[in-house]
């Protein structure tokens, strides 16, 4: 697996070799720019896709899961739409994992409490879900993670599962999560339910990629997703899939003892 350290080490080695070679045979300046451009491209792609594990190890699926197990996850809640999600999950006797934003928990404490009471797993999705988090200092990122942990701890749980906002990782986030010892949870089926407008397109996107061990990313933020969720739950029953929490799928603890 290509990591940030390997990528950077390779860049420095290439620059060094080019510098040594240029002592004996002058090289055009743009030749030094090529490895830098390659480094930047790899770093940008690695940071943008949580599945890459570029900055920190991420758990995105479990191909060794027994039987036909999958995990449904929801990001960005709790919201006023979450109770509708919970009602559907109860109707189809399904458990899911909710990666919650600290500020949203503070806005909707009763909904968050219901998520836990109904047997679903909750995880940390930072305090603000800021799109600028990649530019935050280590201390500010630490605050984003630990503030949300403290809020969840008020409900008697110390979460060990963390999902990066937008699935974006970066060096400062990696430093923080190595200190906090969270498991970083990604996905291998991204529904794009916040981007695609047509419910059927979202559903078919999930259906085409569905396989045992999959982790599905949804958002409990819109009626559109709720409609897709019911189609998905019906499909899972028809195809004999068993939807479980992420920690059960990956065989890891959800909370600190």
């Amino acid at each position: 697996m290509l990591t940030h350290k390997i990528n950077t080490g390779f860049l420095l080695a290439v620059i060094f070799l080019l510098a040594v070679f240029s002592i004996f045979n002058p090289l055009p300046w743009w030749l030094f720019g090529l490895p830098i451009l390659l480094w930047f491209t790899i770093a940008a792609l690695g940071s943008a896709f949580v599945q890459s594990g570029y900055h920190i190890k991420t758990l995105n699926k479990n191909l060794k899961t027994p039987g036909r197990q999958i995990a449904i996850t929801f990001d960005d809640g709790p919201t006023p739409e979450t109770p509708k999600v919970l009602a559907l999950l109860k109707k189809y006797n399904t458990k899911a994992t909710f990666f919650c934003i600290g500020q949203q928990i503070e806005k909707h404490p009763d909904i968050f409490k219901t998520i836990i009471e109904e047997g679903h797993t909750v995880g940390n999705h930072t305090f603000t879900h800021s799109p600028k988090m990649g530019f935050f200092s280590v201390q500010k990122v630490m605050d984003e993670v630990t503030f949300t942990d403290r809020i969840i701890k008020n409900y008697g749980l110390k979460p060990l599962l963390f999902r990066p906002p937008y699935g974006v990782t970066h060096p400062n986030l990696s430093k923080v999560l190595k200190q906090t010892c969270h498991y970083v949870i990604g996905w291998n089926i991204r529904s794009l339910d916040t981007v695609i407008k047509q419910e059927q397109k979202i559903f078919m996107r999930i259906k085409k990629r569905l396989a045992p061990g999959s982790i599905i990313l949804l958002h409990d933020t819109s009626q559109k997703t709720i409609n897709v969720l019911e189609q998905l739950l019906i499909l899972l029953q028809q195809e004999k899939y068993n939807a479980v929490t992420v920690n059960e799928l990956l065989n890891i603890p959800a909370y600190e003892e």
Side-chain angles (χ1 to χ4, degrees), residues 26-221:
L27 300 173
W29 65 268
W30 55 264
L31 197 58
F32 288 86
L34 290 178
I36 295 174
L37 178 62
L38 179 62
W39 174 89
F40 181 81
T41 301
I42 293 172
L45 291 173
S47 299
F49 294 96
V50 70
Q51 299 93 333
S52 71
Y54 181 73
H55 290 289
I56 191 168
K57 180 183 177 181
T58 61
L59 304 173
N60 310 297
K61 58 188 175 183
N62 181 10
L63 298 180
K64 297 179 180 179
T65 185
R68 293 171 67 78
Q69 289 187 342
I70 58 95
I72 302 173
T73 66
F74 296 92
D75 283 9
D76 298 358
T79 74
E81 302 297 327
T82 306
K84 300 176 188 177
V85 170
L86 293 173
L88 278 177
L89 293 173
K90 181 180 286 187
K91 177 181 176 181
Y92 291 91
N93 192 29
T94 300
K95 300 303 179 190
T97 305
F98 292 79
F99 289 95
C100 299
I101 300 171
Q103 286 184 337
Q104 291 299 115
I105 298 172
E106 291 184 332
K107 288 179 183 177
H108 306 286
D110 291 340
I111 298 175
F112 183 72
K113 185 179 179 183
T114 302
I115 294 172
I116 297 169
E117 289 175 342
E118 296 194 356
H120 304 290
T121 293
V122 294
N124 188 323
H125 200 39
T126 73
F127 184 70
T128 64
H129 199 279
S130 172
K132 299 178 182 177
M133 197 164 298
F135 302 100
F136 285 3
S137 66
V138 171
Q139 184 56 55
K140 198 166 182 179
V141 175
M142 179 67 79
D143 290 344
E144 286 277 342
V145 175
T146 57
F147 284 178
T148 302
D149 271 358
R150 284 187 213 132
I151 292 168
I152 297 175
K153 202 169 182 179
N154 290 334
Y155 296 82
L157 303 170
K158 170 63 170 66
L160 291 176
L161 307 183
F162 177 86
R163 176 168 282 166
Y166 310 103
V168 173
T169 59
H170 49 88
N172 287 350
L173 179 63
S174 174
K175 291 174 185 176
V176 167
L177 295 177
K178 285 175 181 176
Q179 291 183 57
T180 61
C181 298
H182 284 86
Y183 294 99
V184 185
I185 310 298
W187 57 80
N188 69 321
I189 300 179
R190 188 170 196 166
S191 66
L192 295 180
D193 56 338
T194 59
V195 178
I196 299 173
K197 294 181 179 180
Q198 298 88 348
E199 294 172 8
Q200 194 59 21
K201 282 188 178 181
I202 298 170
F203 173 68
M204 291 306 298
R205 178 179 172 83
I206 300 170
K207 183 178 179 180
K208 285 190 302 183
R209 294 164 172 78
L210 194 61
S214 294
I215 297 176
I216 303 168
L217 169 62
L218 292 166
H219 297 78
D220 50 327
T221 56

Side-chain angles (χ1 to χ4, degrees), residues 215-230:
I215 297 176
I216 303 168
L217 169 62
L218 292 166
H219 297 78
D220 50 327
T221 56
S222 72
Q223 182 62 47
K224 174 179 61 177
T225 295
I226 293 163
N227 296 340
V228 171
L229 175 62
E230 182 148 33

